[in-house]
Amino acid sequence: MISFILKGWNALANIGVTDDLPFLEKKKTQVTNLVIGIGLPLFLYFSIVNALDGLHLLAVMNFTLFVGGTLILIIQSRRQLHLARFIVVVVTSSIFTTQSLLFRNGNEILLLVNLIVTIIYYSEKRFIVFITTVNVICYVWVKYESFNPPIYETVSNGRVIFNVCCGLLSFVIALQYFKFEQLNSQRAIQQKNDELEALNKTKEKLFSIIAHDLRSPIAQIKSTLDLVNRDFISKEEFHELSHHFTKQIDQLQDNMNNLLTWSQSQLNGIVTKPQAVNASIIIKEVIELLKQQWLAKDLQIQFEAFDDLVWMDPDHLKVVVRNLLSNAIKFSKKKHSIVINHSRNNKELTISVRDTGMGMPQKQLDSLFTAEEIISTHGTDKERGTGLGLKLCKEFLDKNKGEIWAISEQGIGSTFFINIPLYQP
């Protein structure tokens, strides 16, 4: 029963509401629907009661409000929202004034509610001034006529009290709605400010990376090539330096890949396209991709293939594995080993990448995935990085319903773990 009422309430509130409507327009439309929807049974009830009491003119007016409210909901359903609101303000002002003058039923307080509704719903100053003037004149007119004998028989005191209470309740609802909209506007502004601040930080970090972590090695390579062109360095000497250049170019390529991937994720958002992926094949591809780097340090990669399928975007998985293995190579000492293991439970596959390199202090480990600041650390062979790799891993795994964590001991090494959902056919 409760679920049926809630469904009916939501259906009533969302008459004429579409996804493309701005937030404030949605709220205004929903409030209009609910106020009218709640009022319809009251209008119908009082039209019947007044007819039975012999107040036929008042019964006609209440029935007119019932029919008008129904028509307004129909207009709302056809998405003519501004027309519906205009009719609400004009019709209610007219009928409430007439009822108050003829029957002294206390509905003049609803004229004040109309003022609030007009101020909330409309931004056109001339219309607001016009409606405000009309409602104030009507309210003063009703109060002035209240000193004269009524034209028709007045309604009971109980009815007057009921109408006044309904008016006050409507007044409170209108004010609360105004306050609610004001708070939402403040939150929206604050959210936009936060987004702009984050974008500014992103832009500053991008410029910083380009200025220091990318420009510096390029400048070194260029200056060396200039020396070769001027015959200050012989071809034999240049050949001896070529290994160093190759390493720098590999680092530049990794850094550029991370930089482009991260900047795209920050500016355009991360779009995931998960599918069934053989994680073992991805790991093999990355090991082969980084072969030149780990062979340059005379490292051993220990990995046993497996057949488990995971449910993840394959491009994101490749970025995660590449960054974890690249970090392990970067912080490993020469002639050490890197071990890639896996385990599984009913729903997840766990992959670990363990090195026996530098390790890290507990303080750095605790803030590894939570710090907003991007920190770059040099590797054992002075390798430079952008500090973006682990942030990409965290963001991509979060988007693919995975997780990442690490254990480490300074001077002994680090192990990074990732959990990925298994493919469930």
Side-chain angles (χ1 to χ4, degrees):
M1 182 64 180
I2 295 177
S3 61
F4 177 78
I5 294 173
L6 290 176
K7 287 181 181 179
W9 180 269
N10 289 329
L12 173 64
N14 289 296
I15 293 175
V17 175
T18 56
D19 292 335
D20 58 336
L21 274 179
F23 176 79
L24 290 179
E25 289 299 313
K26 284 183 180 180
K27 291 301 176 184
K28 291 175 183 179
T29 303
Q30 289 170 342
V31 170
T32 301
N33 291 336
L34 292 174
V35 170
I36 293 175
I38 294 172
L40 287 180
L42 291 175
F43 297 147
L44 183 60
Y45 170 76
F46 282 117
S47 64
I48 296 172
V49 170
N50 289 326
L52 294 176
D53 290 344
L55 301 172
H56 300 295
L57 181 59
L58 186 57
V60 170
M61 289 182 182
N62 285 325
F63 190 72
T64 301
L65 286 172
F66 172 79
V67 174
T70 304
L71 291 175
I72 288 168
L73 290 180
I74 294 173
I75 294 173
Q76 293 265 82
S77 68
R78 296 182 178 180
R79 302 178 187 176
Q80 297 180 9
L81 307 179
H82 292 286
L83 175 60
R85 295 169 193 169
F86 176 80
I87 294 174
V88 168
V89 173
V90 172
V91 171
T92 53
S93 295
S94 303
I95 292 184
F96 292 152
T97 301
T98 305
Q99 287 182 342
S100 300
L101 287 171
L102 297 181
F103 300 98
R104 308 286 197 269
N105 64 349
N107 271 353
E108 65 270 15
I109 195 171
L110 293 174
L111 296 172
L112 300 178
V113 177
N114 269 352
L115 296 182
I116 302 298
V117 171
T118 302
I119 293 171
I120 291 174
Y121 277 9
Y122 295 96
S123 56
E124 213 285 320
K125 292 182 179 179
R126 292 182 181 179
F127 182 77
I128 293 176
V129 171
F130 171 73
I131 293 296
T132 300
T133 304
V134 169
N135 277 271
V136 169
I137 291 174
C138 291
Y139 183 82
V140 173
W141 183 18
V142 170
K143 287 302 181 182
Y144 175 78
E145 287 295 330
S146 64
F147 295 103
N148 299 322
I151 300 174
Y152 289 88
E153 181 181 352
T154 59
V155 298
S156 65
N157 289 334
R159 182 80 61 81
V160 173
I161 293 173
F162 179 82
N163 289 341
V164 170
C165 290
C166 287
L168 291 174
L169 180 62
S170 301
F171 193 72
V172 170
I173 291 174
L175 288 176
Q176 281 296 115
Y177 175 76
F178 181 76
K179 181 180 178 181
F180 173 78
E181 296 303 332
Q182 190 177 36
L183 290 175
N184 273 306
S185 297
Q186 291 175 352
R187 291 193 192 101
I189 292 171
Q190 184 60 46
Q191 183 179 357
K192 290 296 180 184
N193 288 336
D194 293 342
E195 290 174 358
L196 288 173
E197 186 177 350
L199 285 175
N200 284 333
K201 288 182 178 179
T202 299
K203 180 184 68 176
E204 291 171 2
K205 183 58 186 176
L206 291 178
F207 287 148
S208 173
I209 291 170
I210 293 171
H212 298 93
D213 297 326
L214 300 184
R215 189 174 65 178
S216 179
I218 292 174
Q220 291 178 15
I221 295 172
K222 182 179 181 300
S223 63
T224 305
L225 291 175
D226 286 340
L227 293 175
V228 173
N229 292 332
R230 295 177 184 180
D231 294 328
F232 289 116
I233 295 179
S234 65
K235 292 183 178 180
E236 290 76 15
E237 289 174 321
F238 178 75
H239 181 71
E240 292 178 3
L241 293 172
S242 63
H243 172 72
H244 177 69
F245 289 153
T246 301
K247 184 175 70 173
Q248 282 191 315
I249 291 171
D250 287 340
Q251 292 171 19
L252 276 172
Q253 185 176 16
D254 282 347
N255 291 339
M256 282 296 297
N257 287 335
N258 279 340
L259 178 62
L260 292 173
T261 305
W262 183 72
S263 59
Q264 183 180 13
S265 72
Q266 294 298 301
L267 298 176
N268 301 324
I270 299 174
V271 179
T272 60
K273 297 178 181 178
Q275 61 188 63
V277 183
N278 188 316
S280 182
I281 292 177
I282 296 287
I283 294 172
K284 287 181 180 178
E285 290 178 359
V286 173
I287 292 174
E288 186 63 28
L289 179 67
L290 300 178
K291 186 174 183 179
Q292 189 170 347
Q293 295 181 29
W294 55 267
L295 284 179
K297 279 192 164 184
D298 200 14
L299 300 173
Q300 297 293 323
I301 306 293
Q302 299 178 18
F303 170 66
E304 292 185 7
F306 53 90
D307 298 324
D308 294 301
L309 299 179
V310 297
W311 186 252
M312 184 172 177
D313 188 307
D315 293 330
H316 292 175
L317 179 57
K318 192 168 186 178
V319 169
V320 170
V321 175
R322 176 172 60 80
N323 275 292
L324 292 182
L325 183 55
S326 180
N327 273 357
I329 296 170
K330 176 180 175 182
F331 295 111
S332 289
K333 298 174 184 178
K334 290 184 177 182
K335 297 184 179 182
H336 279 220
S337 296
I338 295 173
V339 181
I340 303 175
N341 285 324
H342 73 280
S343 62
R344 60 167 294 172
N345 56 32
N346 293 331
K347 295 183 179 180
E348 293 177 322
L349 175 72
T350 301
I351 298 173
S352 65
V353 180
R354 176 170 60 87
D355 65 69
T356 53
M358 297 169 60
M360 66 188 83
Q362 188 63 40
K363 183 178 180 181
Q364 182 182 353
L365 182 64
D366 292 341
S367 62
L368 204 57
F369 303 105
T370 57
E372 292 186 3
E373 185 180 359
I374 300 172
I375 301 173
S376 175
T377 307
H378 286 246
T380 55
D381 204 17
K382 304 302 180 184
E383 299 99 328
R384 299 174 65 91
T386 60
L388 297 174
L390 290 179
K391 289 189 73 67
L392 278 173
C393 293
K394 172 68 173 171
E395 291 175 4
F396 283 176
L397 285 166
D398 285 346
K399 285 292 183 179
N400 286 272
K401 299 180 180 179
E403 58 182 337
I404 183 171
W405 72 97
I407 58 175
S408 183
E409 189 171 348
Q410 197 166 10
I412 295 178
S414 304
T415 304
F416 283 81
F417 301 86
I418 59 172
N419 267 358
I420 315 170
L422 283 167
Y423 171 61
Q424 304 290 340

